[in-house]
Amino acid sequence: RSVNIVAFGNERDGFSEDNQQPSLIWSYLGRSALISQIDSSLSASHVGNPVFTEYQACVFGNVRLVVHDCPVWDIFDSDWYTSCRLIGGADIIVIKYSVNDKTSFQELKDSYVPMVKKALNHCSVPVIISAIGARKNGVPCTCPLCTSDRRSCVTTSEGVQLAKELGATYLELHTLNDFYIQKYFGGVLEYFMIQTLNQKSSEKMKKRKKTQKCRRVQPPQLEQPEKMPILKGEASHYNADLHNLLCCCQCADVAFYPEDLSTVVEAHKIILCSVSHLFMLLFGVKSPSDAHDASVVQLAQSLFAVQPGDPFPSSPQGVSPCVPPVRVVVKDSVFCSCLPDILHFIYSGAFQWERLEEDIRKKLKDPDKTEHVLEKVKCILKTPGKLNTVKDCKSHQIKRLYNTSLRLFFNTPVLADVIFKIQGATVPAHRAVLVARCEVMAAMFNGNYLEANSIQVPVYGVSKDTFLSFLEYLYTDSCCPASILQAMSLLICAEMYQVMRLQHICELYIITQLQSMPSRELASTSLSIVSLLKKAKFHNSDCLSTWLLHFIATNYLIFSQKPEFQELSVEERNFVEMHRWPSNLYLKQLADYRNYIHSQKCHCTVM
């Protein structure tokens, strides 16, 4: 017997100094008298942080307890399939939040609660919502990248309302002491554990009684179909792609110089503007009249100077002669000496703040100068109109920027330096993003090809909608196909441009959709699985083609009645017949059983 618990959310105030405080789950496991033999392990890392921690223990003596503690809600954005699998296998769900982190609560309510509802899919899984911490007087946010005001705490009524939306049990834990952990939270959790074990025991008894009804002549046992091949998702290398763009200096369109023009540091407008309103002002994306914060305008004017005219001596290489790089003079010599480190921080996703502090501290070896440079960086990255009294800036407080901020420049002419012509329409794009995210386009724009010096690039073989979905993935590292056919079209486009991770995402989407399709819908659908199989083979999607063959074999009775079944090659037909389910042996045994039952029927002795 076992109980599976999944916990989501971070109970710690993200701006608290006490980062060693144990989590709610770990505190309960460590203090409860009912728990024994605790073991823990971390999942695979995602952007440097573990997605979840898995605890295994024994409860009530011999019941196996498995707990997955997911402190970061990003798992729903980065790995929807894993999050659905965790929720689907959960007997109890715990949602945690800090009452002093209003912004995280609002994000939970607006973005992630709908996802949890969708994943639950009307399942009757008990949910416990735990509001943790004692409410404090609000203080202004101290993060330079924060876009919201954290002055107010999460009220009890807001927590109760959230619990009503999910049909959950609401608890307030003012502190993680023995009373709140063992008697309050532990009492509710152990109640649901007992309910879960009772329900499982009841279902087991029903199955046992059902099997004992008839012991005379048993029907043939239908074996389980062969296990489908498992497709594993590929980890994202989004930040690494953009960081490599800075290292290789391809398509650089900005050159930073000190006032004596002695050195040059190359960069890209699109990346800089995606993380800073100051750079938007500097490169003309926004005008000073659009700025809501005069300090940003003043900092831009005091720190940088854009220089028109011919390129400086030793101008950066790799830029098309017809589009010279924008030359920017950095007026602050100390800041300019640290600019390479600052750019590495930005291009790596702008979440490794401690590493940036350490690099600048080692380079300058002067606390005052170090603080001076870091304050400049905070001012550059802050949102206009927000306070910037930053005293501490932790990596876990700064979210990744690119997957949302680069979206602002997707399919817009702002800063665009290439235009794709497809099906009579035009689609603007940015070479820097394309080169960083796609090796085929990197070769196309930097090699001896016509596209290297062309503004307009024709695209053939894909539709406009498919190509836009492909570009959206390059800009945002995410894609959401609307149908199986659209996913297959996107897979073909990904194979054409050799973007393997997008190809795997499309494969997983197609497999997930087909697996969730009921047999009746599978029998009546006009979607040709054989056609999908042939496309997958033609476009080198070996994992998907192998899975589709197993899928046809597993649903043999449905597909063998369809005309498309005759389109299978001899080799494919032999594979399906060999792995078909149910097998010919089972069908023969079933026919013999039916004949036996028919022959044993009692006839009326009077007649």
Side-chain angles (χ1 to χ4, degrees):
R1 296 187 301 170
S2 65
V3 176
N4 294 307
I5 300 175
V6 178
F8 294 105
N10 192 344
E11 61 271 40
R12 299 187 184 95
D13 182 356
F15 290 81
S16 173
E17 294 292 336
D18 184 12
N19 292 323
Q20 302 301 320
Q21 178 187 354
S23 66
L24 171 64
I25 298 299
W26 177 250
S27 298
Y28 168 73
L29 294 176
R31 298 182 184 184
S32 175
L34 300 176
I35 306 295
S36 62
Q37 301 176 17
I38 305 172
D39 187 22
S40 66
S41 61
L42 298 179
S43 73
S45 293
H46 173 72
V47 197
N49 295 316
V51 176
F52 58 81
T53 303
E54 179 178 314
Y55 301 102
Q56 295 194 21
C58 289
V59 64
F60 305 127
N62 61 347
V63 177
R64 181 168 170 263
L65 178 64
V66 180
V67 184
H68 291 93
D69 191 3
C70 309
V72 182
W73 284 100
D74 288 351
I75 187 175
F76 282 88
D77 298 323
S78 61
D79 197 345
W80 170 250
Y81 305 101
T82 298
S83 57
C84 286
R85 177 175 59 82
L86 289 175
I87 292 179
D91 297 315
I92 304 170
I93 294 176
V94 178
I95 296 177
K96 309 166 291 178
Y97 66 86
S98 169
V99 296
N100 294 306
D101 196 344
K102 183 64 172 286
T103 300
S104 296
F105 175 82
Q106 198 64 41
E107 185 179 12
L108 159 66
K109 181 180 178 182
D110 297 339
S111 302
Y112 298 115
V113 165
M115 293 185 183
V116 172
K117 285 184 179 179
K118 181 179 178 182
L120 284 173
N121 196 20
H122 307 294
C123 297
S124 57
V125 177
V127 180
I128 301 174
I129 293 182
S130 301
I132 298 172
R135 294 178 177 84
K136 306 174 184 177
N137 293 327
V139 295
C141 173
T142 61
C143 174
L145 305 180
C146 185
T147 58
S148 61
D149 190 356
R150 296 174 183 254
R151 290 174 182 272
S152 56
C153 299
V154 183
T155 63
T156 300
S157 60
E158 290 174 321
V160 171
Q161 182 61 37
L162 179 64
K164 288 182 179 179
E165 292 181 19
L166 286 172
T169 301
Y170 177 75
L171 304 177
E172 280 202 0
L173 311 177
H174 299 304
T175 181
L176 299 184
N177 59 18
D178 288 341
F179 172 78
Y180 284 103
I181 291 293
Q182 295 185 44
K183 295 186 178 180
Y184 194 23
F185 174 77
V188 175
L189 187 62
E190 288 155 13
Y191 168 79
F192 285 126
M193 287 186 199
I194 294 171
Q195 293 292 98
T196 299
L197 292 173
N198 290 339
Q199 182 178 355
K200 288 185 176 181
S201 298
S202 176
E203 292 173 355
K204 188 175 180 180
M205 288 298 299
K206 288 179 181 178
K207 289 181 180 179
R208 184 177 299 174
K209 289 179 180 179
K210 189 174 182 181
T211 58
Q212 293 176 348
K213 281 185 177 180
C214 179
R215 289 189 174 276
R216 289 174 298 173
V217 178
Q218 297 295 331
Q221 294 297 316
L222 178 60
E223 71 280 7
Q224 292 296 320
E226 292 187 14
K227 288 186 177 181
M228 296 283 194
I230 298 176
L231 270 69
K232 295 183 179 180
E234 182 181 344
S236 172
H237 39 77
Y238 187 79
N239 286 338
D241 288 342
L242 294 176
H243 185 261
N244 290 337
L245 177 67
L246 176 66
C247 297
C248 67
C249 297
Q250 291 181 328
C251 299
D253 53 6
V254 179
F256 289 99
Y257 293 89
E259 289 185 310
D260 60 2
L261 311 183
S262 58
T263 59
V264 59
V265 178
E266 301 169 352
H268 306 81
K269 294 180 190 176
I270 180 69
I271 306 298
L272 299 177
C273 290
S274 69
V275 299
S276 172
H277 290 266
L278 183 144
F279 286 117
M280 288 186 184
L281 289 170
L282 194 66
F283 300 128
V285 176
K286 286 187 174 182
S287 64
S289 59
D290 297 329
H292 302 291
D293 192 339
S295 65
V296 176
V297 180
Q298 294 173 359
L299 180 62
Q301 293 173 349
S302 63
L303 192 58
F304 301 108
V306 178
Q307 297 288 329
D310 297 330
F312 282 149
S314 65
S315 61
Q317 301 298 316
V319 182
S320 175
C322 59
V323 185
V326 174
R327 298 166 300 153
V328 179
V329 174
V330 183
K331 300 178 181 180
D332 189 324
S333 60
V334 177
F335 183 89
C336 187
S337 66
C338 299
L339 189 58
D341 298 301
I342 297 170
L343 291 178
H344 278 283
F345 166 72
I346 291 175
Y347 276 70
S348 298
F351 64 90
Q352 298 178 341
W353 181 261
E354 290 96 338
R355 182 175 177 179
L356 176 64
E357 283 184 320
E358 184 66 22
D359 291 343
I360 294 178
R361 189 178 294 111
K362 287 181 179 179
K363 176 172 288 188
L364 298 180
K365 299 179 180 178
D366 184 328
D368 293 335
K369 290 182 179 180
T370 300
E371 184 65 23
H372 168 77
V373 172
L374 291 176
E375 286 299 325
K376 295 287 185 185
V377 175
K378 294 169 186 176
C379 292
I380 288 174
L381 295 178
K382 79 168 185 177
T383 302
K386 298 294 182 182
L387 295 175
N388 193 43
T389 56
V390 181
K391 296 181 180 177
D392 189 25
C393 192
K394 304 294 184 184
S395 293
H396 67 269
Q397 296 169 5
I398 308 176
K399 295 186 176 180
R400 292 194 308 166
L401 300 175
Y402 295 128
N403 59 354
T404 55
S405 53
L406 273 182
R407 186 185 294 273
L408 299 174
F409 297 92
F410 166 64
N411 196 22
T412 64
V414 179
L415 297 178
D417 53 6
V418 63
I419 297 175
F420 291 103
K421 297 185 67 176
I422 179 169
Q423 292 185 332
T426 59
V427 178
H430 307 83
R431 291 174 188 258
V433 178
L434 305 178
V435 167
R437 299 281 288 137
C438 176
E439 292 182 2
V440 172
M441 289 194 175
M444 183 173 71
F445 288 122
N446 292 287
N448 296 321
Y449 297 98
L450 181 63
E451 293 85 355
N453 294 310
S454 300
I455 298 298
Q456 294 190 347
V457 176
V459 177
Y460 306 102
V462 295
S463 67
K464 178 188 174 184
D465 291 339
T466 300
F467 191 70
L468 279 173
S469 297
F470 171 73
L471 289 182
E472 184 178 12
Y473 169 79
L474 297 185
Y475 277 73
T476 65
D477 202 40
S478 64
C479 74
C480 298
S483 65
I484 292 177
L485 290 178
Q486 186 182 6
M488 178 55 74
S489 299
L490 189 55
L491 183 150
I492 293 171
C493 183
E495 190 269 339
M496 181 189 307
Y497 288 100
Q498 293 297 293
V499 182
M500 294 297 102
R501 183 170 182 268
L502 176 58
Q503 191 172 348
H504 293 156
I505 290 175
C506 294
E507 290 173 344
L508 284 171
Y509 177 87
I510 293 171
I511 289 172
T512 303
Q513 293 299 309
L514 290 177
Q515 282 180 328
S516 64
M517 194 176 291
S519 298
R520 182 175 297 178
E521 183 180 352
L522 196 60
S524 60
T525 183
S526 59
L527 179 68
S528 174
I529 306 300
V530 176
S531 175
L532 292 179
L533 170 64
K534 294 190 176 298
K535 288 181 179 179
K537 279 193 169 185
F538 184 78
H539 292 282
N540 304 311
S541 182
D542 297 333
C543 294
L544 179 60
S545 60
T546 302
W547 188 91
L548 288 173
L549 271 177
H550 278 275
F551 185 70
I552 294 172
T554 304
N555 296 276
Y556 182 88
L557 297 180
I558 294 176
F559 289 109
S560 61
Q561 305 301 316
K562 292 193 173 189
E564 66 185 78
F565 190 76
Q566 306 304 320
E567 300 175 13
L568 291 172
S569 66
V570 176
E571 181 183 358
E572 293 166 347
R573 183 81 65 86
N574 291 337
F575 179 91
V576 171
E577 293 290 348
M578 182 182 300
H579 299 84
R580 58 172 288 180
W581 185 84
S583 64
N584 279 321
L585 176 61
Y586 170 80
L587 294 178
K588 182 179 181 304
Q589 292 174 343
L590 182 62
D592 293 341
Y593 172 77
R594 286 174 174 170
N595 290 334
Y596 171 80
I597 294 297
H598 181 73
S599 65
Q600 296 298 314
K601 286 184 177 179
C602 297
H603 300 281
C604 180
T605 56
V606 177
M607 297 298 292

